[in-house]
Amino acid sequence: MTPPRVRIRDTRRRLASLAALTLVSALAVPALSAAPAAAATPLRTLAAAKGKFIGFAAATNPLANEAAYRTIAQTEFNQVTAENAMKWESTEPSDNSWTFSGADQIVDFAVANSQQVHGHTLIWHQQTPGWVQGLGATAMRTAIQDHIATLVGRYADNAALVSWDVVNEVFNEDGTFRTSFWYNTLGQSYIADAFRWARAADPNAKLCINDYNVEGVNAKSTAMYNLVQSLRAQNVPVDCVGFQSHLATQYGFPSDMRQNLERFAALGVEVRITELDIRIQTPRTSAKDATQAQYYTNAVNACLAVPACSGITIWGFTDKYSWVPDTFPSEGAALIYDENYQAKPAYTAVNTAFGGTPTTDTQAPTTPGTPVASGITSSSVNLSWTASTDNVGVTGYDILRAPGTSGGTFTQVGTSTTASFSNTGLSANTAYRYQVRARDAAGNVSAVSSAVTVTTTTGGGTGGGCGATATVQTQWQTGYVIEPVRVTNSGTSAISGWTVTFTLPAGHTVTGSWNATLTTSGQTVTARNAAYNGSLGAGASTTFGFQVSRPNGDTATASGFTCATP
Ligand code: XIL
């Protein structure tokens, strides 16, 4: 997406505008079931109540391709940093040749989910292309200035992008300057220049210096402290200091982290934990999990104790995608969800530290009933089943499908928050098997149900199908109007009726409707055609609308519109 063109001059207005953008995009994002997380208030809700952000480093591949990844990303976090997509090699691999696809993908995701974005990173000695590294002093200065002007400038008007890592990892462990190609060619002047050019490109973004092994008070963090103090004394626009916090249980927790954050805060800068992960020597054991959880608690507490600490970014969230095993041999499992997106004790620790009371429930829901198929067409089937029960509440179901009447592998084709599901996009005259399993609010998963076998119809003119798309016509603090919901006969023959179902966020109630009859069960609303608009020829469409009231300040809207015939 192209960043919005409106120039917004201060951070508070940026955030107001971010909220507005979110409302518009809410319907574009398909509703996903609750995260397979602990029975817990999401981290973002808890962190926001404490005035902090909680974020994750986003990897572009799973963000594009894995629903489970996206679900947790949008449910649990209100901040995003691009793990790699905004680095020099990703954005300007050769001189003045730009690739913004990954960076834009992450910014778009953030905008759609009311998340703030931290730009990472402008000047680093790694993941910078060879063409930059070999430049002479004059050409290197020009390259830095151009790179910053173009990349920072691209998002300067985007309300979601609130901060940048301008320089990254400029120090050696003993506090001397790293003799990177930047330093060897330009001396330390590149640091002040980069900050000034970044300020020129985006006067509103908070500009940060970022490093690792600076969490406690030590030679390296003291060198950073002195540099920040001296740069600010020279009016170099350093607004913020990032503490990467790539920690390892084998090296102990930096117990003076809070004290260290406080001394930086006293310089007048924002501080933030930018790349938190806490690796263990694999394999996991419950004892190592417990130590890791305690370190996560300590890190959150350090930030909570310091008003100038704006928040915490975890360097990923699932052990399925973490840089740790690739970088530190025989270490890993550094994040708060395991490879199967199940919350670990570290998740519970972070949630609790932010003030949550996550349950420790381990009881799985009862096995759902065998799915019953109805409304079979040449390309779709409706499934419903007897709901599971659970002590802490069923949050949703996974729908699994295998090809044919026997053999093959069951893979997940969707999720549902209710005991029914419509599977579309099937091949005509083809057999499929379906099973379902339930998830509870603590992330426990039931056994899978027995399978039902479904064979789609032959099609060729006998099929009728329909689709529904919804538009938010208008909205206000405490309600909104969805008009039109356009119902289209997507089949090859006339239909004599239609049923559109959709989901209301918690606390929302329908207060009126037109051109359809609405019934509500839990959060699910079923809209049945009126007497006069049920018959639709192939390709024809009709519309209906409704009004909803919602809790003051809630920005969510109804979602997950699906259509079935009749
Ligand atoms: C890492 C990424 O996680 C990896 O995917 C990539 O291969 C290398 O970089 N400090 C930083 C981050 O500032 O940008 C690094 O990210 C981790 C260390």
Side-chain angles (χ1 to χ4, degrees):
M1 152 184 127
T2 312
R5 287 276 137 234
V6 193
R7 185 105 203 141
I8 297 166
R9 292 251 163 228
D10 75 48
T11 308
R12 264 181 304 122
R13 280 170 59 203
R14 284 176 168 232
L15 290 173
S17 141
L18 177 56
L21 281 171
T22 308
L23 295 170
V24 175
S25 55
L27 279 177
V29 183
L32 293 165
S33 65
T41 306
L43 300 178
R44 62 183 294 170
T45 310
L46 298 167
K50 303 274 187 194
K52 311 286 184 189
F53 67 76
I54 180 71
F56 72 107
T60 50
N61 266 336
L63 194 67
N65 299 319
E66 281 188 47
Y69 184 97
R70 271 196 303 277
T71 300
I72 294 175
Q74 64 198 22
T75 306
E76 294 289 337
F77 301 103
N78 57 11
Q79 187 272 339
V80 189
T81 301
E83 184 174 5
N84 290 300
M86 292 190 187
K87 291 173 181 174
W88 198 314
E89 69 173 13
S90 306
T91 51
E92 195 188 7
S94 53
D95 193 0
N96 208 26
S97 163
W98 291 87
T99 316
F100 293 116
S101 51
D104 284 356
Q105 177 200 346
I106 288 169
V107 172
D108 290 352
F109 181 85
V111 168
N113 293 293
S114 300
Q115 295 168 324
Q116 54 166 285
V117 180
H118 177 64
H120 173 81
T121 176
L122 299 173
I123 302 299
W124 190 27
H125 62 283
Q126 288 184 25
Q127 295 179 277
T128 297
W131 70 266
V132 183
Q133 303 191 25
L135 296 174
T138 305
M140 189 179 280
R141 281 171 53 82
T142 304
I144 295 175
Q145 190 167 12
D146 288 351
H147 183 76
I148 291 177
T150 303
L151 182 54
V152 175
R154 180 175 182 81
Y155 303 107
D157 294 342
N158 192 308
L161 196 314
V162 299
S163 52
W164 276 100
D165 282 331
V166 177
V167 296
N168 194 28
E169 303 183 353
V170 306
F171 289 111
N172 293 316
E173 297 305 286
D174 66 1
T176 57
F177 280 108
R178 181 189 295 276
T179 48
S180 62
F181 56 86
W182 307 116
Y183 186 83
N184 291 341
T185 306
L186 298 169
Q188 69 176 87
S189 68
Y190 76 91
I191 299 174
D193 285 343
F195 275 98
R196 291 195 168 111
W197 291 329
R199 178 66 99 229
D202 184 350
N204 302 309
K206 297 249 184 186
L207 303 180
C208 308
I209 180 171
N210 190 51
D211 216 322
Y212 63 93
N213 285 353
V214 292
E215 293 73 35
V217 176
N218 56 39
K220 191 176 188 180
S221 66
T222 299
M224 175 116 112
Y225 176 91
N226 290 334
L227 177 65
V228 170
Q229 186 171 47
S230 127
L231 289 172
R232 286 172 62 84
Q234 298 163 65
N235 290 320
V236 178
V238 182
D239 306 310
C240 138
V241 177
F243 302 81
Q244 290 184 10
S245 308
H246 293 292
L247 304 177
T249 55
Q250 62 176 316
Y251 302 128
F253 187 85
S255 56
D256 50 2
M257 187 169 186
R258 168 185 173 169
Q259 179 194 338
N260 192 44
L261 296 181
E262 278 170 344
R263 71 170 172 156
F264 278 89
L267 292 176
V269 289
E270 173 185 318
V271 296
R272 50 202 287 153
I273 295 176
T274 49
E275 302 181 17
L276 180 63
D277 52 22
I278 299 167
R279 58 191 189 269
I280 59 161
Q281 292 171 292
T282 48
R284 285 170 66 191
T285 64
S286 49
K288 291 180 201 172
D289 274 7
T291 305
Q292 178 186 62
Q294 182 61 54
Y295 280 36
Y296 270 102
T297 300
N298 295 347
V300 175
N301 284 343
C303 184
L304 285 174
V306 180
C309 183
S310 51
I312 298 174
T313 308
I314 300 173
W315 205 240
F317 55 86
T318 167
D319 289 336
K320 187 173 183 180
Y321 302 109
S322 165
W323 76 308
V324 169
D326 299 333
T327 313
F328 304 95
S330 72
E331 294 180 82
L335 297 170
I336 62 175
Y337 291 85
D338 72 12
E339 297 88 343
N340 299 314
Y341 297 107
Q342 297 302 302
K344 293 162 63 179
Y347 172 91
T348 307
V350 172
N351 193 288
T352 306
F354 274 123
T357 50
T359 173
T360 53
D361 172 65
T362 56
Q363 185 179 317
T366 59
T367 308
T370 309
V372 175
S374 64
I376 302 171
T377 71
S378 61
S379 65
S380 68
V381 59
N382 299 326
L383 301 168
S384 59
W385 53 89
T386 304
S388 300
T389 58
D390 184 79
N391 59 326
V392 298
V394 173
T395 52
Y397 297 88
D398 298 336
I399 294 82
L400 312 173
R401 190 182 72 201
T405 53
S406 65
T409 310
F410 280 92
T411 55
Q412 188 170 327
V413 292
T415 59
S416 174
T417 53
T418 63
S420 64
F421 182 72
S422 177
N423 192 209
T424 55
L426 303 175
S427 303
N429 196 25
T430 304
Y432 300 91
R433 269 134 56 235
Y434 290 93
Q435 296 177 318
V436 291
R437 68 183 170 216
R439 293 183 177 277
D440 75 9
N444 298 303
V445 183
S446 75
V448 291
S449 71
S450 302
V452 63
T453 303
V454 174
T455 303
T456 52
T457 60
T458 50
T462 57
C466 64
T469 55
T471 305
V472 180
Q473 183 192 64
T474 179
Q475 52 184 312
W476 55 98
Q477 284 287 71
T478 56
Y480 53 92
V481 170
I482 300 213
E483 158 71 29
V485 181
R486 179 161 296 279
V487 181
T488 305
N489 178 355
S490 55
T492 51
S493 57
I495 58 175
S496 58
W498 45 261
T499 308
V500 171
T501 46
F502 56 91
T503 305
L504 289 176
H508 292 215
T509 44
V510 173
T511 54
S513 64
W514 47 98
N515 297 337
T517 305
L518 270 55
T519 51
T520 303
S521 165
Q523 299 310 123
T524 303
V525 182
T526 303
R528 196 70 174 83
N529 61 275
Y532 51 84
N533 63 5
S535 295
L536 292 176
S541 67
T542 187
T543 64
F544 72 93
F546 59 94
Q547 180 170 327
V548 177
S549 83
R550 64 182 170 193
N552 192 7
D554 185 352
T555 58
T557 54
S559 63
F561 289 79
T562 58
C563 184
T565 55

